[in-house]
Amino acid sequence: MAKRTFSNLETFLIFLLVMMTAITVALLSLLFITSGTIENHKGSHFFSTTESSPVTQGSTATQSSTATQSSAATQSSTATQTSPETSTPEPPLFQNFSGYHIGVGRADCTGQVADINMMGYSKSGQNARGILTRLYSRAFIMAEPDGSNRTVFVSIDIGMVSQRLRLEVLNRLQNKYGSLYRRDNVILSGTHTHSGPAGYFQYTVFVIASEGFSNQTFQHMVTGILKSIDIAHANMKPGKLFINKGNVDGVQINRSPYSYLQNPQSERARYSSNTDKEMVVLKMVDLNGDDLGLISWFAIHPVSMNNSNHLVNSDNVGYASYLFEQEKNKGYLPGQGPFVAAFASSNLGDVSPNILGPHCINTGESCDNPNSTCPIGGPSMCIAKGPGQDMLDSTQIIGRTMYQRAKELYASASQEVTGPLASAHQWVNMTDVIVWLNSTHAAKTCKPALGYGFAAGTIDGVGSLNFTQGKTEGDPFWDTIRDQILGKPSEEIKECHKPKPILLHTGELSKPHPWHPDIVDVQIINLGSLAITAIPGEFTTMSGRRLREAVQAEFASHGMQNMTVVISGLCNVYTHYIATYEEYQAQRYEAASTIYGPHTLSAYIQLFRNLAKAIATGEVAEVIFVGANPKNSVQNETHQTFLTVEKYEATSTSWQIVCNDASWETRFYWHKGLLGLSNATVEWHIPDTAQPGIYRIKYFGHNRKQDILKPAVILSFEGTSSAFEVVTT
């Protein structure tokens, strides 16, 4: 490609952009300083590893009795400081019945409706100027009859849950309820409405998209979420759960069908549609059969209200909740009454409610092509529309169809959910997960980066700079601007993300604060035969299908047959999109926004399988390391054990060994691969006598190094897992 030269005008524009960016960064720094503490997981000793250690696969522990994966470092407050609250005593629970204790609660979390940017489209100037509907947090608590185990699911009418929001909610729950509601058994899920307020994030990319941080909005969201949980907690009563499933027709299209076609034909042939049409409904009633609440999971983007909207509202899924609650709460105003209905998000990444499809708004012709671009005007002219006369009409049509189908499924639900409650949670460094593609080949995830297709936007909301979806090559003009303002991306990150051309190497940017999360939490809660996977982003249709099948297979391999696995999206921390490896090659918007690289989905599948195994097998913490042949340790006795389990002692700020490979409750498995590759699995079967606290697992080995014409050398190494917490319930 010939080298591009810049005109005087272009040179001036570049200089202007550099100056504007410098001013923006300075203002953002001031904004962060004045808006509260920003949590940064880097540097925390709870995630430290030795430089020579193999990369850890991740450790897992289940909450079925005493363990949950976590890091105490993440518990520090990330918002304005609040005074400690008195612990709330647990009300006595009636125990002699078959079913669960069920509590439902709803609370307002609307916040600002003017002079606040809206979260979702990242469109400059799309500020709130009023209200169409209020936003609510809807909480559902389920506990076993004796109260020993419980789970909490909260669906919130916001774009997505930020890590800052989740950590503050957990901190306040701990202040009020002690260890009753924790990071492992509480899921916070955003409905993904694009018409709610922004300004509640800590990572720089999202702060820029939000045009700043709003402590007022943040505090109102936290208060609303907590209030909904408080109401559910106070209203718990004996009841039963029922599950039902059924297809919803006429409300979806796949907005990246050309990406979907990259998936293997044999895989696509197993499905009748390029979107998931199945709705899963969880029905809640008391022992008299009286209605309590509903959770519906269905894959659809709440973008019936487009980016020209300036009224705060909960979009199509919120309208479905509105209709269901009005139906059940006769005589009550909207937002009032005992029945609570949540229409929660699922694998909606490539699913649009704008079912008339993409058309060029200037000519009317279809722009359903691989790059979503128009002959005249380019990609900025290619926009999809819904079935109605306008966006308000479309929102009602789509929402009403979902409500009507959910109502039918709710009325006919007869399959009772029974069995114990359990949960598993893990903090993971998503920038450094080793993914085993087969027995001989491994790959890894990448530091976060956004591709050119990200800036193009989608047919639901196009970008403003005429970028094009599907770009697999960069542009010298924009590359130069990026390099001058932010510095050049490293060769390592460029190589890791191929074929994505990197527009923003966010994983290598830390000013004024980290631009994207490195540490991400993954989580599953089990209600008997129902498993809810808490996904920290937006899975595409096929990504969701692969994850569900993998988690179901993992449960089945450990004797838990016929599990229903639901994808619950936009949970706990936001990491953009998760496309399949094949979809990633096409680099449309969803793939360009898959920030941890082409193997992101494989990493999540591996992690969630580990969580499922932890739940299915009981009290086991498991870590898989890249390993070496244990026979090498006979020739070099630097280490006297293959493993240790260590507990963190806060008083001495040190790790104390509590188990090694001679302990009855530990297991060390070596798995031989080809070409000298292998891995090692360490298990700790946590005894009932284990003291609550923060733990980690270490692996010690020796690898054989053989240089040409030189004798072999045996070298020692060690690896360290992420920290996890053992708690008493």
Side-chain angles (χ1 to χ4, degrees):
M1 181 182 291
K3 184 178 181 180
R4 177 172 178 176
T5 59
F6 299 110
S7 66
N8 290 336
L9 176 60
E10 288 175 324
T11 302
F12 173 75
L13 288 174
I14 293 172
F15 173 76
L16 188 62
L17 281 169
V18 171
M19 294 302 295
M20 291 175 64
T21 302
I23 294 171
T24 300
V25 170
L27 290 174
L28 280 171
S29 299
L30 179 63
L31 178 148
F32 274 112
I33 291 169
T34 58
S35 64
T37 304
I38 304 302
E39 181 65 34
N40 181 3
H41 296 293
K42 288 185 178 179
S44 165
H45 63 272
F46 288 106
F47 291 94
S48 64
T49 56
T50 56
E51 289 184 14
S52 61
S53 68
V55 178
T56 304
Q57 295 292 304
S59 53
T60 313
T62 176
Q63 180 51 38
S64 58
S65 58
T66 61
T68 170
Q69 186 67 217
S70 68
S71 164
T74 61
Q75 285 300 92
S76 58
S77 176
T78 59
T80 54
Q81 297 297 312
T82 57
S83 57
E85 302 177 58
T86 57
S87 179
T88 301
E90 176 67 10
L93 297 177
F94 178 71
Q95 297 185 16
N96 296 321
F97 70 97
S98 174
Y100 303 100
H101 290 283
I102 302 170
V104 302
R106 177 185 53 249
D108 186 284
C109 63
T110 306
Q112 290 179 244
V113 298
D115 294 330
I116 186 76
N117 189 248
M118 289 180 163
M119 189 64 200
Y121 291 113
S122 297
K123 180 182 178 182
S124 179
Q126 191 193 8
N127 298 322
R129 300 176 189 168
I131 186 170
L132 173 61
T133 63
R134 300 201 73 82
L135 308 179
Y136 295 100
S137 173
R138 296 175 170 90
F140 305 85
I141 302 177
M142 280 70 70
E144 291 180 353
D146 62 0
S148 59
N149 290 315
R150 64 179 61 200
T151 58
V152 184
F153 181 83
V154 187
S155 178
I156 315 153
D157 288 332
I158 56 177
M160 61 283 289
V161 176
S162 76
Q163 194 170 65
R164 182 173 192 164
L165 185 68
R166 171 170 162 82
L167 292 176
E168 181 64 14
V169 168
L170 290 173
N171 282 337
R172 297 196 192 182
L173 284 173
Q174 184 179 36
N175 288 341
K176 188 167 187 177
Y177 297 103
S179 63
L180 196 61
Y181 302 120
R182 310 168 305 272
R183 67 183 71 88
D184 67 289
N185 67 357
V186 175
I187 290 179
L188 304 183
S189 173
T191 64
H192 204 39
T193 175
H194 285 41
S195 297
Y200 54 96
F201 297 85
Q202 80 265 40
Y203 292 106
T204 301
V205 164
F206 308 129
V207 174
I208 293 174
S210 302
E211 298 183 1
F213 176 82
S214 169
N215 193 56
Q216 184 179 26
T217 293
F218 178 81
Q219 295 296 338
H220 202 94
M221 287 182 177
V222 171
T223 301
I225 294 168
L226 288 168
K227 185 176 180 180
S228 68
I229 295 173
D230 288 341
I231 294 171
H233 176 87
N235 291 338
M236 292 182 71
K237 61 177 66 175
K240 292 183 179 293
L241 302 176
F242 298 89
I243 196 169
N244 205 0
K245 310 170 192 175
N247 285 358
V248 185
D249 296 317
V251 296
Q252 311 160 306
I253 61 168
N254 190 307
R255 70 184 187 190
S256 284
Y258 293 91
S259 293
Y260 182 87
L261 288 173
Q262 302 302 308
N263 295 306
Q265 194 279 331
S266 58
E267 183 179 34
R268 290 184 279 112
R270 297 168 50 206
Y271 304 99
S272 60
S273 172
N274 61 4
T275 61
D276 272 348
K277 295 182 176 295
E278 186 176 77
M279 174 183 282
V280 178
V281 167
L282 185 64
K283 176 180 181 178
M284 305 169 194
V285 297
D286 65 19
L287 294 182
N288 296 321
D290 294 331
D291 298 321
L292 296 177
L294 151 90
I295 308 174
S296 163
W297 287 276
F298 183 63
I300 192 167
H301 246 90
V303 289
S304 292
M305 301 293 291
N306 62 43
N307 63 10
S308 68
N309 169 58
H310 292 277
L311 297 179
V312 168
N313 70 87
S314 51
D315 213 284
N316 47 45
V317 292
Y319 188 66
S321 290
Y322 167 86
L323 293 176
F324 213 118
E325 290 178 348
Q326 287 295 97
E327 167 70 22
K328 293 294 184 180
N329 294 321
K330 298 289 188 182
Y332 287 91
L333 290 172
Q336 300 177 7
F339 187 88
V340 180
F343 282 72
S345 57
S346 190
N347 55 319
L348 49 70
D350 54 359
V351 184
S352 171
N354 295 311
I355 59 177
L356 297 185
H359 289 80
C360 301
I361 57 175
N362 51 356
T363 65
E365 61 187 303
S366 172
C367 50
D368 186 10
N369 55 63
N371 303 112
S372 297
T373 188
C374 294
I376 302 173
S380 62
M381 293 291 109
C382 184
I383 297 176
K385 292 185 178 180
Q389 297 298 314
D390 55 30
M391 59 182 171
L392 290 167
D393 191 26
S394 293
T395 300
Q396 289 183 292
I397 291 171
I398 299 297
R400 184 178 296 112
T401 303
M402 288 191 289
Y403 151 70
Q404 289 172 340
R405 188 66 176 119
K407 183 179 178 181
E408 295 168 357
L409 294 172
Y410 185 90
S412 60
S414 59
Q415 179 184 340
E416 185 174 0
V417 176
T418 59
L421 304 183
S423 58
H425 173 275
Q426 181 182 3
W427 289 108
V428 181
N429 182 355
M430 276 302 296
T431 72
D432 200 19
V433 178
I434 296 293
V435 179
W436 285 94
L437 306 177
N438 52 47
S439 61
T440 60
H441 291 81
K444 70 180 293 294
T445 52
C446 313
K447 292 181 179 180
L450 292 164
Y452 271 75
F454 160 78
T458 74
I459 59 173
D460 293 325
V462 296
S464 58
L465 294 175
N466 227 34
F467 283 86
T468 303
Q469 293 193 68
K471 281 185 68 66
T472 55
E473 293 183 358
D475 180 273
F477 177 78
W478 291 109
D479 284 351
T480 300
I481 293 177
R482 176 203 62 209
D483 295 349
Q484 292 297 318
I485 298 174
L486 303 173
K488 293 183 179 181
S490 68
E491 291 301 317
E492 177 187 1
I493 199 170
K494 289 193 292 185
E495 185 68 26
C496 191
H497 278 271
K498 284 183 177 179
K500 177 195 291 179
I502 293 178
L503 179 64
L504 295 172
H505 48 304
T506 54
E508 297 180 327
L509 303 176
S510 58
K511 295 180 180 180
H513 287 282
W515 283 46
H516 266 145
D518 287 349
I519 306 302
V520 174
D521 53 346
V522 292
Q523 180 185 15
I524 296 179
I525 62 175
N526 258 47
L527 313 174
S529 59
L530 173 66
I532 303 171
T533 59
I535 306 301
E538 305 178 51
F539 270 43
T540 62
T541 297
M542 194 64 84
S543 292
R545 288 168 174 168
R546 290 184 187 178
L547 181 75
R548 278 197 301 264
E549 286 192 349
V551 173
Q552 284 173 335
E554 189 66 38
F555 277 123
S557 70
H558 299 286
M560 296 178 66
Q561 306 290 336
N562 303 317
M563 290 289 293
T564 296
V565 177
V566 298
I567 305 291
S568 184
L570 293 307
C571 293
N572 301 341
V573 56
Y574 185 59
T575 62
H576 295 272
Y577 285 73
I578 300 93
T580 69
Y581 177 85
E582 295 83 358
E583 292 164 353
Y584 189 89
Q585 310 308 307
Q587 279 300 300
R588 282 179 58 85
Y589 175 81
E590 295 80 15
S593 303
T594 299
I595 63 174
Y596 299 115
H599 301 289
T600 301
L601 174 62
S602 296
Y604 277 124
I605 288 175
Q606 185 170 283
L607 292 165
F608 277 98
R609 289 194 74 142
N610 286 341
L611 294 180
K613 180 179 179 181
I615 289 175
T617 57
E619 244 335 87
V620 180
E622 177 188 89
V623 192
I624 303 175
F625 297 90
V626 176
N629 197 318
K631 73 179 182 181
N632 297 329
S633 298
V634 178
Q635 302 178 51
N636 183 332
E637 298 183 0
T638 302
H639 304 305
Q640 301 302 312
T641 181
F642 288 110
L643 66 93
T644 57
V645 177
E646 301 176 358
K647 183 177 184 293
Y648 183 72
E649 299 296 343
T651 54
S652 60
T653 64
S654 63
W655 292 92
Q656 301 297 320
I657 297 175
V658 296
C659 293
N660 59 18
D661 62 6
S663 303
W664 181 259
E665 59 265 28
T666 60
R667 313 284 190 274
F668 174 77
Y669 300 96
W670 179 64
H671 312 279
K672 185 177 182 179
L674 298 178
L675 302 176
L677 298 176
S678 65
N679 57 33
T681 300
V682 177
E683 291 182 357
W684 179 35
H685 294 249
I686 305 172
D688 294 337
T689 56
Q691 294 297 310
I694 304 299
Y695 289 80
R696 71 182 184 187
I697 293 174
K698 298 191 72 173
Y699 161 52
F700 303 91
H702 299 86
N703 65 298
R704 183 183 181 89
K705 184 179 180 181
Q706 177 77 66
D707 293 331
I708 298 176
L709 302 178
K710 291 184 179 181
V713 178
I714 306 299
L715 303 174
S716 64
F717 65 84
E718 60 186 71
T720 308
S721 77
S722 301
F724 57 94
E725 184 178 10
V726 172
V727 299
T728 301
T729 58

